[in-house]
């Protein structure tokens, strides 16, 4: 996910969040890398979900990406308690 693809991702997530009743599940299994712009878009998606009172569940994040996302959330966002949005049964340590 990079500056070329992340804007489209954010748009798709926004539509899915508007249509969802409670949560949107995003499987990132086939995502090879997420650059800084992609991280910004993931944080924006988490923020939008929080504003709408919904969950954005991220599956298949590797440990390094999850750690980077946690740092990005801490820096950029007021999203609280994002930790529960990850499914440990799916993630690889």
């Amino acid at each position: 996910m990079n500056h070329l693809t992340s804007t489209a991702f954010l748009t798709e997530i926004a539509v899915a969040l508007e249509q969802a009743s409670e949560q949107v599940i995003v499987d990132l299994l086939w995502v090879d890398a997420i650059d800084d712009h992609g991280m910004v878009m993931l944080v924006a998606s988490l923020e939008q979900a929080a504003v709408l009172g919904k969950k954005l569940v991220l599956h298949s994040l590797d440990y390094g990406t999850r750690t980077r996302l946690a740092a990005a959330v801490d820096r950029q966002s007021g999203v609280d308690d994002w930790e529960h949005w990850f499914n440990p049964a799916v993630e690889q340590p």
Side-chain angles (χ1 to χ4, degrees):
M1 188 180 312
N2 58 36
H3 70 282
L4 298 174
T5 61
S6 57
T7 303
F9 170 81
L10 182 61
T11 302
E12 290 178 26
I13 293 299
V15 170
L17 285 168
E18 288 292 333
Q19 295 175 354
S21 59
E22 294 180 25
Q23 69 181 2
V24 171
I25 300 171
V26 179
D27 187 353
L28 298 169
L29 180 65
W30 299 107
V31 175
D32 294 328
I34 302 173
D35 71 6
D36 291 339
H37 196 272
M39 280 292 155
V40 169
M41 293 301 166
L42 279 177
V43 172
S45 297
L46 292 169
E47 289 173 336
Q48 183 173 10
V51 166
L52 295 172
K54 299 176 184 179
K55 286 185 182 180
L56 180 62
V57 180
L58 303 172
H59 284 272
S60 302
L61 278 176
D62 62 76
Y63 180 77
T65 303
R66 182 178 178 189
T67 302
R68 284 181 54 222
L69 182 58
V73 167
D74 288 344
R75 281 191 311 272
Q76 299 174 24
S77 173
V79 174
D80 294 324
D81 194 26
W82 65 273
E83 192 80 24
H84 73 281
W85 295 342
F86 296 92
N87 183 341
V90 177
E91 296 171 12
Q92 299 296 320

